[in-house]
Amino acid sequence: MFFKMQIKKSTTQEINRGLYTNTTDKKVHSNSFEWIHKIGSVTTRVDLQEPGAGMSLTSNDTLFSMLRILFPEPFVIFKDGWIREHDATGIYAINDARQLQTSVLWRLQSPWCPVKDLETSLSAELILSNQTFREQSDGALAVECTVLATSVRTAIWSTDTLAWETKPMELKNYRRDCAHEDVTVQCLLFELPGFKQSLALFARSDEIHHTTLTSTPIEGANAPKAREYVLKSHFFPTIIEKGVLHRGRFLAVIGPSQAEKDWCLRTADAFSRQPPLLQ
């Protein structure tokens, strides 16, 4: 659990020492393998050399969400990486029996931010690619998103409609199989304690196999109803072949509150209409 996990504050001088500041956005600080991006009260951090760390989202020194790939830690090796404006790309080798090569693209401020709340919204898109050097191998990988929230709602977008499945609730255990012939979009909308905004997560049925969501209560006087939600999205077949590239996407957007959830419909609709990733 990470309720009230403190992140050391860095002054601009500390951040800039030995780092390159992107001239297109003075709120982005990065070197070859790490960035720190701040918009509104939210700070995101990615360090490509820490494959298990993923992307962290903090506000007021409190870590409220983390998005990461569940690499087999003893076997994953950072091979290469680069940062270009709001894109950070890492290349990793998984040197267990599967012999996988995985690339991870983190993209901030892609065109998914709600127009009505553009100044304070934030979007983070994860594009995951996987291939093997063996004739056949197990290519399955999972993406884990941990969220500190007071409630969650789930919905499915299909044929221009976003159908909300639940009222705000704890959802201690939840599973959804996502394989469909027609593209649908899964949406989970979290209410964040102490925020006027909410966090929405999106995944496409043609790119993930299934998702699971669990939650546990968190003790804390500042957010007595808060729970730690853990969403795991499972990508790629268990059998992949050499020379075949498999790709998938995951989208996180900070937007207006749950009471103004119409923006989720527009985001899910636009996300569903994107062309399939090149394989």
Side-chain angles (χ1 to χ4, degrees), residues 49-54 68-77 93-94 96:
Q49 293 180 293
E50 298 178 10
R68 66 193 186 101
I69 297 93
L70 295 180
F71 286 116
E73 290 292 346
F75 303 104
V76 62
I77 299 174
I94 300 179
D96 58 9

Side-chain angles (χ1 to χ4, degrees), residues 162-182:
L162 188 65
W164 292 95
E165 300 178 305
T166 66
K167 296 179 181 180
M169 58 187 298
E170 295 176 353
L171 276 181
K172 296 180 181 179
N173 292 285
Y174 173 88
R175 175 188 168 108
R176 170 167 289 279
D177 294 319
C178 302
H180 299 282
E181 291 184 5
D182 299 325

Side-chain angles (χ1 to χ4, degrees), residues 22 28-29 40 42 67 85 114 116 126 144 160 166 234 274:
N22 191 321
V28 177
H29 306 277
V42 178
L67 178 62
E85 296 187 356
K116 64 177 295 184
L126 167 62
E144 180 182 88
D160 302 323
T166 66
H234 297 263
Q274 290 296 299

Side-chain angles (χ1 to χ4, degrees), residues 2-268:
F2 50 65
F3 181 58
K4 295 189 70 176
M5 180 181 290
Q6 299 297 308
I7 306 296
K8 179 184 176 182
K9 290 185 177 180
S10 297
T11 65
T12 301
Q13 182 180 3
E14 289 172 334
I15 291 175
N16 286 340
R17 186 180 298 125
L19 300 182
Y20 165 74
T21 301
N22 191 321
T23 58
T24 63
D25 189 343
K26 294 301 182 182
K27 295 181 180 179
V28 177
H29 306 277
S30 66
N31 60 16
S32 297
F33 304 122
E34 180 185 14
W35 80 26
I36 299 172
H37 178 281
K38 182 175 177 62
I39 182 167
S41 64
V42 178
T43 299
T44 63
R45 177 183 179 270
V46 171
D47 188 341
L48 298 174
Q49 293 180 293
E50 298 178 10
M55 175 183 287
S56 63
L57 292 90
T58 64
S59 181
N60 299 321
D61 299 326
T62 298
L63 178 66
F64 67 87
S65 185
M66 180 176 291
L67 178 62
R68 66 193 186 101
I69 297 93
L70 295 180
F71 286 116
E73 290 292 346
F75 303 104
V76 62
I77 299 174
F78 173 70
K79 303 291 289 186
D80 197 6
W82 54 89
I83 293 176
R84 294 171 182 165
E85 296 187 356
H86 292 97
D87 289 359
T89 302
I91 309 295
Y92 305 95
I94 300 179
N95 289 331
D96 58 9
R98 300 186 296 169
Q99 292 296 297
L100 301 177
Q101 178 169 290
T102 304
S103 67
V104 180
L105 169 62
W106 303 96
R107 173 167 290 160
L108 281 180
Q109 299 307 92
S110 52
W112 309 112
C113 286
V115 175
K116 64 177 295 184
D117 203 28
L118 193 60
E119 292 299 319
T120 56
S121 294
L122 182 147
S123 70
E125 185 176 7
L126 167 62
I127 301 177
L128 190 62
S129 304
N130 210 15
Q131 59 183 321
T132 181
F133 294 111
R134 299 186 60 181
E135 292 302 318
Q136 283 190 339
S137 185
D138 180 353
L141 285 176
V143 171
E144 180 182 88
C145 186
T146 308
V147 184
L148 174 67
T150 54
S151 67
V152 60
R153 297 196 67 176
T154 64
I156 292 294
W157 178 97
S158 178
T159 60
D160 302 323
T161 301
L162 188 65
W164 292 95
E165 300 178 305
T166 66
K167 296 179 181 180
M169 58 187 298
E170 295 176 353
L171 276 181
K172 296 180 181 179
N173 292 285
Y174 173 88
R175 175 188 168 108
R176 170 167 289 279
D177 294 319
C178 302
H180 299 282
E181 291 184 5
D182 299 325
V183 175
T184 63
V185 175
Q186 177 180 269
C187 172
L188 291 93
L189 182 63
F190 295 88
E191 183 177 359
L192 305 174
F195 279 78
K196 295 181 179 179
Q197 296 169 293
S198 57
L199 172 65
L201 307 176
F202 301 88
R204 291 170 49 124
S205 62
D206 58 338
E207 295 176 354
I208 60 175
H209 183 266
H210 71 276
T211 61
T212 60
L213 178 70
T214 59
S215 73
T216 54
I218 293 178
E219 301 296 331
N222 293 336
K225 296 181 180 180
R227 303 182 71 88
E228 183 185 74
Y229 292 89
V230 179
L231 176 69
K232 292 183 180 179
S233 301
H234 297 263
F235 286 78
F236 310 135
T238 54
I239 298 179
I240 63 174
E241 296 181 349
K242 184 177 182 180
V244 179
L245 182 66
H246 296 264
R247 306 183 74 193
R249 288 168 283 199
F250 189 88
L251 178 64
V253 182
I254 295 178
S257 67
Q258 282 194 355
E260 304 176 58
K261 60 183 182 296
D262 288 349
W263 65 272
C264 292
L265 168 61
R266 293 187 290 272
T267 302

